[in-house]
Amino acid sequence: MSLKEIDKSISSLDDLLLLQDEYFIFHAYKILLGRIPDPGGANYYLSRIQSGVGKLEILGQLRCSKEGQVHSEKLIGLDAAISRIRRQRWPVIGRLFKDNIKENDIEIKLIDSKLRILDEKLEKHNLLLNSALHEIKTEISKLSSVSFENTKVFNSTIEDDNAKEELNKDIMMLDINEELISDESEYDVLQKSGLFDVNYYLSTYTDVAQENVNALSHYLSDGWQEGRNPSADFDTKYYLLTNHDVAESGSNPLLHYIKYGRDEGRMPSEISATLSVRSVLPLFSQEKNINKFQLDYPIDIVIPVYNGYDYLDALFSSIIKNSSMRYRLIVINDSSPDQRVAEFIEGFLVKNPLIDFVLITNEVNLGFVKSVNKAVGYVKNHFVLLNTDTEVPSQWLERLMYPIFTMDNIASTTPFTNAGTICSFPRYLEDNSIFEGLDVEELDSYFKSINVNNSMIEIPTGVGFCMGVNKYLVDEIGMFDEVFGKGYGEENDWCQRAVAHGYKNLHIPNLFVFHKHGGSFDSETKKKLIENNYKILTKKHSDYEKQVQLTIQENKLELVRKLLELRVVSNTRSSYLIIDHNLGGGANHYADEKKAEYLQAGYLICTVKFDFSQTKQYLIEFNYDDVVVIFKAEEVEDLYKFISAFNFHNVFINSFVSFENIPHHLDEIISLKVRLGTATKLVVPIHDFFPVCSNYTLLDETGTFCDVPTDLDKCVNCLKKNTGEFKIFEAPTDIYNWRANWGKLLNIADEILCFSESSKEILLKAYPEQYEKVIVTPHDISGRHPVIFVPRKNPSELRIGVLGGINEAKGANIILKLVNYFDESDIPAKLILIGEISIPIMSSSFEKTGRYNKNELEKIVLDKEIDVFLIPSIWPETYSYTTDEIMQMGYPLIVFNYGAPAERVCQYELGEVVGINQLNKTIDDFAKRIGIITNKRL
């Protein structure tokens, strides 16, 4: 039966449900959405059916989609069936509705309503029970981790053996009961959650797809333990890594998130933990963010000195060079044994007689704490406490002291540094070397763009390497408690006392001060001081440790760190911006290979993709070394504002297919190129003919290659009448504006990259003025496959192979016609598709393997005993990976007479280039050549 005959025969829901899987999806789309399925949608719903999802649920999903609600066509009986399904899903009592209920039975409807209310109450009790069981199990897990010795002590406290036995039974029964409750509904819980994406799982983990198992069951039994992700929105490894209690309990992370984690505010993935760019944009700007304020007196800079001679010149030089506000130096030399220290200070005073300078020299060593207190007695204004092992950048005082001078109740301010625990950059809580080997001034220039008013945060303590201090508060509560002796912990104590008096300690993210982390004490002395003084600190402030741990856990400035890190690397290393669609196929494959190549070379890569199939958002992924950071943008304007914050040495427009508002994107790329200047190379590769026409395959309304007419009115008419797959995306019909907009981009491009002479010839029909920019560089995938073809002896059946994902442009209807030809003429032949196809074909002369793993291609081809391959594409492909793969394996190959495949195969000894109308005769002739007798001659 033909597709048209099937169309006419479907008048009710039952008719549609009787169709086999592929036919069912094809006609469900036509009836409920008014169009044929796109390849992604067809594959998605087919995989759902194959994983056990019912056809009625598929229909409900299509019917309730935005597109389905707009389309007015309805199917008799469908809405009633959807209502039944919803009732069947009710927890606990849904099973009572497995049998059909007549929609006009009023009594049954009343029962439905009452039972639903009761069932909702039951479900609430069930959730409370599950939550309680989870908490009890967690506590028992903690007990089980107690050491063997502690366990013996615990058991010894229960002297009655019977009591011990009863306790063990209770614990075992608790485990069993929880397992029974969770196992009973785990599959349904995941399926209803919407967080398990069958299509994603099978396409990402092709080994699972090839096992032909239920995807959801595989994740429950093995997948999560193997670190596999159930969807693009949930990262199994990330969830376990960031939630140690879940990892230790051995719980399925997705189930935990659904039952508890979501309500507890836990993040399912690093992507979800990252704000959208609209929330990120207020954090920084292109301009320096320096807030000004007035001074009545100079800012005092208190520098306690004890040895550390090697650091002094860099510190004092940076202060003189980079302090643009009035300041006074108060230096106290705490009887440094190294005589060079005193000599340096004396020499500094001689060389800089105009600097406002107070020198205090201790006759005996007082230690850090007493020395600071002594120096603070000289201050007249808000002041800075600065270590000797630091270097400051330009305009540092304005940024460090701004909150203290302009805001109420600010006790202290601390900037970013490379080694400052909670203020460390780029790695939190670590002592880092200065990032990317930059000098202080250059690195700090990136921090100047951070909007401090939108990003500064409260912290439990300042960090004393460089700390702005409020003099008014010092007058009120004093400075350091001298119980801390020679130092360490004293600034933490002071900051905690400040908090107790209603003041705040702030982390200032728009300033970076270099901290060499050396100076006063040797490592052994430092270690002892920290241990002793920390005990004093926590005894004085019992809540201090809890505050610090909460600050560490929240890590509120991690996003700022990542932004700064990426901005720096985009300038210090070679960097690529790659813009690409998210539809799969050769263009994505090419971009992924380039990305891997560039990452291997140490470049930074930013990939922008439009998620057409799901979220309709822009996914922005940064990669370099082992760093991966992902952002999301909802609007075009936000996307390019965000991108403009980074520097790119190369911009690669891999594909704009499926993007919305193409002219806007083209204008933004042109503006970006102008801003970045001639140092940035703009490359436009031609994977399809999207720059020529929104109908990127150039198939006209009859499904024939249009050969790029010179009369553009023909193009306008074609775009209006054409029903090709390109209409799934935004498809403007004004070819004049289309060419004008793309022409502007091509004019500013540095290189237009074609992968075949055929593509170059077609492109230049639309843009002849770009001849000098076009470079032809065929893909090189040589060496991927050995020659494996061995002609079969005395075959009784011709076996024709087709490789890849086949849609309309790639020859889906050619395959259908060829299979029909085999059936109608009784030719002993079978067409074997190693891949997928966008239309259903039901015939004994057709076999489809489905998706395949590239590494297993040779095995599949040999197992299927292919005699000859066919590339059925009816559009002039710009390049064909499958053509090269077949040629490398040494198989006979038939292609049509246009595009890159014809260009390659015309030089191939076992190749035939033919017209579409010659295909059947060519197949017939090939069958005769290998000894197969056909029942029909052409």
Side-chain angles (χ1 to χ4, degrees):
M1 186 182 290
S2 69
L3 295 177
K4 287 184 179 179
E5 289 172 326
I6 293 174
D7 275 341
K8 293 177 181 178
S9 68
I10 299 173
S11 59
S12 68
L13 175 63
D14 291 338
D15 294 333
L16 183 57
L17 293 175
L18 287 173
L19 297 178
Q20 294 191 12
D21 296 350
E22 290 174 318
Y23 276 104
F24 165 75
I25 292 168
F26 185 83
H27 291 283
Y29 259 77
K30 290 195 72 177
I31 292 168
L32 296 178
L33 305 185
R35 63 175 176 87
I36 63 172
D38 56 283
N43 290 333
Y44 168 69
Y45 287 112
L46 183 61
S47 66
R48 293 205 75 197
I49 291 175
Q50 291 169 347
S51 69
V53 176
K55 290 181 180 178
L56 274 174
E57 187 165 340
I58 301 293
L59 291 174
Q61 194 171 345
L62 289 171
R63 177 74 180 86
C64 297
S65 68
K66 289 183 179 179
E67 197 174 350
Q69 292 174 31
V70 171
H71 191 62
S72 59
E73 186 75 24
K74 292 186 179 180
L75 191 64
I76 297 172
L78 178 58
D79 288 344
I82 291 173
S83 296
R84 273 199 311 277
I85 290 173
R86 286 173 178 164
R87 284 199 298 273
Q88 291 168 9
R89 284 179 175 175
W90 293 347
V92 184
I93 60 173
R95 67 194 69 178
L96 300 176
F97 297 91
K98 295 296 182 184
D99 297 327
N100 291 344
I101 296 174
K102 294 180 180 179
E103 291 301 312
N104 59 356
D105 193 326
I106 297 174
E107 186 178 353
I108 291 295
K109 285 185 176 181
L110 291 172
I111 294 172
D112 280 358
S113 178
K114 290 177 182 178
L115 285 177
R116 171 131 198 168
I117 294 169
L118 289 172
D119 188 58
E120 287 174 352
K121 292 180 180 179
L122 232 127
E123 176 64 4
K124 288 179 182 178
H125 289 298
N126 195 29
L127 286 171
L128 289 171
L129 178 61
N130 277 333
S131 179
L133 284 170
H134 172 72
E135 291 178 14
I136 295 169
K137 183 99 182 263
T138 300
E139 294 304 315
I140 290 171
S141 296
K142 292 177 183 177
L143 285 174
S144 68
S145 65
V146 177
S147 67
F148 178 69
E149 289 300 320
N150 286 338
T151 303
K152 287 200 299 184
V153 172
F154 174 72
N155 284 336
S156 69
T157 61
I158 305 176
E159 297 179 359
D160 189 336
D161 290 338
N162 291 330
K164 289 182 185 178
E165 186 176 349
E166 288 302 316
L167 175 63
N168 290 331
K169 283 181 180 178
D170 287 343
I171 293 172
M172 288 175 63
M173 285 306 298
L174 178 65
D175 287 340
I176 292 169
N177 287 338
E178 184 175 11
E179 282 184 21
L180 286 172
I181 290 172
S182 60
D183 288 347
E184 181 183 12
S185 58
E186 281 182 354
Y187 188 96
D188 289 338
V189 168
L190 291 194
Q191 194 174 54
K192 294 173 185 176
S193 71
L195 289 174
F196 189 86
D197 184 336
V198 174
N199 188 47
Y200 168 88
Y201 197 77
L202 293 176
S203 61
T204 303
Y205 309 113
T206 53
D207 57 324
V208 178
Q210 289 168 5
E211 290 174 12
N212 198 28
V213 297
N214 183 295
L216 200 156
S217 296
H218 181 274
Y219 180 77
L220 279 170
S221 61
D222 302 302
W224 73 269
Q225 298 181 72
E226 295 167 354
R228 302 178 193 254
N229 296 331
S231 70
D233 297 320
F234 189 92
D235 188 327
T236 298
K237 291 180 180 177
Y238 175 85
Y239 195 78
L240 291 174
L241 185 66
T242 54
N243 297 285
H244 300 294
D245 57 328
V246 182
E248 290 171 4
S249 71
S251 301
N252 181 304
L254 181 57
L255 280 169
H256 181 277
Y257 174 72
I258 294 166
K259 291 181 177 180
Y260 315 107
R262 183 161 41 195
D263 292 338
E264 294 167 359
R266 306 193 193 209
M267 293 299 164
S269 69
E270 190 169 7
I271 300 176
S272 59
T274 302
L275 298 174
S276 70
V277 298
R278 180 166 290 183
S279 300
V280 171
L281 287 170
L283 295 178
F284 62 89
S285 63
Q286 292 293 334
E287 304 301 322
K288 293 179 181 179
N289 202 311
I290 311 296
N291 293 295
K292 303 293 184 180
F293 54 91
Q294 296 296 320
L295 286 177
D296 294 327
Y297 302 98
I299 296 172
D300 286 318
I301 302 173
V302 176
I303 304 175
V305 179
Y306 180 80
N307 289 338
Y309 168 79
D310 293 335
Y311 304 113
L312 298 179
D313 185 56
L315 168 64
F316 283 95
S317 296
S318 70
I319 292 173
I320 293 174
K321 179 181 178 181
N322 296 320
S323 299
S324 50
M325 299 194 81
R326 287 191 298 151
Y327 67 93
R328 182 177 63 151
L329 290 175
I330 302 176
V331 177
I332 181 165
N333 182 1
D334 191 19
S335 191
S336 299
D338 188 342
Q339 291 302 313
R340 295 176 301 170
V341 171
E343 292 170 1
F344 174 86
I345 296 172
E346 290 171 3
F348 179 82
L349 285 170
V350 171
K351 293 177 184 177
N352 301 279
L354 299 180
I355 289 181
D356 196 351
F357 196 105
V358 176
L359 175 61
I360 307 166
T361 302
N362 293 339
E363 295 300 324
V364 295
N365 180 259
L366 299 179
F368 179 82
V369 174
K370 288 184 178 180
S371 292
V372 169
N373 286 347
K374 184 176 180 180
V376 168
Y378 289 80
V379 302
K380 298 178 180 178
N381 200 356
H382 300 313
F383 63 95
V384 180
L385 185 59
L386 190 62
N387 279 9
T388 54
D389 55 347
T390 58
E391 289 180 45
V392 296
S394 61
Q395 298 178 299
W396 70 286
L397 277 175
E398 293 92 323
R399 289 176 280 163
L400 181 66
M401 302 304 291
Y402 164 72
I404 293 175
F405 276 91
T406 62
M407 299 168 63
D408 294 331
N409 298 331
I410 303 302
S412 71
T413 53
T414 306
F416 266 122
T417 185
N418 54 294
T421 59
I422 58 175
C423 298
S424 286
F425 172 86
R427 300 290 178 264
Y428 194 43
L429 306 177
E430 294 183 18
D431 284 0
N432 304 272
S433 56
I434 194 162
F435 191 52
E436 290 288 283
L438 300 178
D439 62 42
V440 183
E441 186 64 29
E442 187 176 1
L443 181 55
D444 177 67
S445 66
Y446 297 95
F447 288 78
K448 285 177 178 174
S449 66
I450 296 296
N451 187 327
V452 67
N453 293 314
N454 291 336
S455 58
M456 57 184 163
I457 63 167
E458 187 174 352
I459 50 179
T461 177
V463 186
F465 72 97
C466 174
M467 191 169 80
V469 180
N470 188 319
K471 183 183 184 300
Y472 303 150
L473 179 60
V474 173
D475 292 342
E476 183 180 347
I477 68 172
M479 195 60 202
F480 291 154
D481 187 339
E482 295 185 0
V483 72
F484 289 96
K486 292 185 179 294
Y488 291 108
E490 68 286 336
E491 77 268 30
N492 314 73
D493 168 66
W494 185 85
C495 290
Q496 283 289 290
R497 286 190 282 129
V499 170
H501 279 72
Y503 281 73
K504 297 177 181 179
N505 304 293
L506 297 182
H507 183 183
I508 306 304
N510 69 331
L511 170 63
F512 177 88
V513 171
F514 183 34
H515 184 203
K516 302 178 187 68
H517 220 50
S520 302
F521 302 107
D522 61 66
S523 58
E524 189 60 34
T525 303
K526 176 180 173 180
K527 181 180 178 182
K528 290 180 180 178
L529 284 171
I530 291 174
E531 288 178 356
N532 292 333
N533 288 359
Y534 191 74
K535 292 177 182 177
I536 298 171
L537 176 65
T538 52
K539 187 175 181 180
K540 290 186 68 176
H541 308 284
S542 59
D543 198 40
Y544 174 73
E545 178 64 25
K546 182 178 178 181
Q547 291 178 45
V548 171
Q549 290 305 316
L550 180 61
T551 300
I552 291 171
Q553 182 181 345
E554 290 178 340
N555 193 8
K556 290 181 179 179
L557 289 180
E558 181 62 14
L559 182 59
V560 172
R561 283 186 180 87
K562 288 299 181 187
L563 286 169
L564 287 164
E565 184 178 341
L566 294 171
R567 292 193 72 185
V568 173
V569 175
S570 73
N571 282 275
T572 58
R573 303 191 187 188
S574 292
S575 52
Y576 274 81
L577 170 63
I578 300 175
I579 296 182
D580 200 6
H581 64 60
N582 199 31
L583 304 172
N588 284 166
H589 181 67
Y590 176 79
D592 289 343
E593 286 191 334
K594 285 295 179 186
K595 180 177 171 181
E597 176 188 330
Y598 299 148
L599 287 174
Q600 186 69 27
Y603 299 168
L604 175 135
I605 311 297
C606 174
T607 307
V608 175
K609 293 187 176 183
F610 181 63
D611 186 12
F612 172 81
S613 301
Q614 297 183 38
T615 64
K616 295 291 191 291
Q617 293 178 337
Y618 299 95
L619 306 178
I620 309 157
E621 179 176 319
F622 286 88
N623 300 81
Y624 80 93
D625 296 343
D626 59 346
V627 175
V628 180
V629 187
I630 303 174
F631 301 94
K632 294 188 286 189
E634 292 79 16
E635 303 294 338
V636 178
E637 293 82 359
D638 295 340
L639 168 66
Y640 288 101
K641 282 180 185 176
F642 181 68
I643 287 174
S644 295
F646 304 92
N647 184 60
F648 297 106
H649 303 99
N650 302 273
V651 178
F652 206 78
I653 310 300
N654 202 54
S655 179
F656 269 133
V657 173
S658 80
F659 281 57
E660 295 176 347
N661 197 347
I662 297 298
H664 193 164
H665 284 282
L666 297 176
D667 287 342
E668 291 285 3
I669 292 296
I670 291 168
S671 298
L672 180 67
K673 166 64 174 170
V674 170
R675 183 182 68 80
L676 293 172
T678 56
T680 295
K681 184 178 181 180
L682 174 60
V683 179
V684 182
I686 305 300
H687 293 291
D688 49 47
F689 297 104
F690 202 50
V692 175
C693 182
S694 60
N695 178 8
Y696 45 86
T697 61
L698 302 182
L699 296 179
D700 64 19
E701 66 269 31
T702 68
T704 306
F705 170 47
C706 71
D707 203 25
V708 191
T710 55
D711 182 359
L712 293 187
D713 287 339
K714 289 184 178 179
C715 300
V716 173
N717 291 330
C718 171
L719 288 170
K720 290 178 179 178
K721 298 176 183 178
N722 207 312
T723 59
E725 289 179 352
F726 74 97
K727 285 290 182 77
I728 295 169
F729 313 120
E730 187 177 78
T733 59
D734 188 343
I735 192 68
Y736 292 96
N737 280 336
W738 186 268
R739 294 274 178 89
N741 288 322
W742 272 99
K744 292 176 187 176
L745 180 72
L746 297 179
N747 284 337
I748 205 171
D750 297 286
E751 184 179 299
I752 302 170
L753 179 60
C754 287
F755 305 106
S756 64
E757 291 292 341
S758 166
S759 301
K760 175 181 178 180
E761 180 183 341
I762 293 170
L763 179 73
L764 291 177
K765 287 183 178 180
Y767 303 102
E769 70 280 3
Q770 304 298 340
Y771 180 84
E772 296 295 331
K773 287 184 181 177
V774 179
I775 296 174
V776 178
T777 307
H779 295 304
D780 182 10
I781 64 168
S782 58
R784 293 193 178 182
H785 300 286
V787 174
I788 61 172
F789 174 64
V790 177
R792 291 192 297 151
K793 294 180 180 179
N794 303 318
S796 59
E797 176 187 64
L798 176 62
R799 299 177 71 80
I800 303 168
V802 174
L803 188 59
I806 306 299
N807 57 16
E808 179 186 1
K810 286 184 176 287
N813 287 317
I814 295 292
I815 291 176
L816 178 61
K817 290 176 183 177
L818 189 57
V819 169
N820 287 340
Y821 170 70
F822 293 157
D823 291 341
E824 293 167 3
S825 58
D826 294 326
I827 293 177
K830 175 172 279 192
L831 192 147
I832 300 164
L833 172 60
I834 304 173
E836 294 283 2
I837 191 166
S838 61
I839 62 173
I841 299 178
M842 307 297 293
S843 170
S844 59
S845 301
F846 177 76
E847 178 183 342
K848 183 185 72 171
T849 67
R851 295 184 187 87
Y852 63 93
N853 189 321
K854 290 276 187 184
N855 297 327
E856 297 182 359
L857 177 59
E858 295 155 26
K859 181 180 182 300
I860 296 171
V861 171
L862 289 172
D863 288 346
K864 297 303 178 183
E865 298 183 309
I866 305 296
D867 296 308
V868 59
F869 272 96
L870 167 67
I871 300 292
S873 183
I874 60 173
W875 76 287
E877 296 203 52
T878 59
Y879 186 79
S880 172
Y881 280 97
T882 54
T883 299
D884 258 26
E885 288 178 316
I886 293 163
M887 290 166 61
Q888 286 182 38
M889 291 186 289
Y891 277 81
L893 176 59
I894 301 169
V895 300
F896 295 135
N897 56 354
Y898 41 70
E903 189 176 309
R904 295 281 287 122
V905 172
C906 69
Q907 302 172 17
Y908 179 51
E909 185 179 354
L910 297 179
E912 290 190 63
V913 179
V914 302
I916 292 178
N917 296 331
Q918 298 173 302
L919 178 60
N920 290 358
K921 183 179 185 305
T922 302
I923 296 293
D924 192 65
D925 290 344
F926 189 91
K928 285 188 287 185
R929 284 204 303 272
I930 66 173
I932 296 174
I933 306 299
T934 62
N935 295 323
K936 178 177 179 180
R937 295 174 178 273
L938 297 178

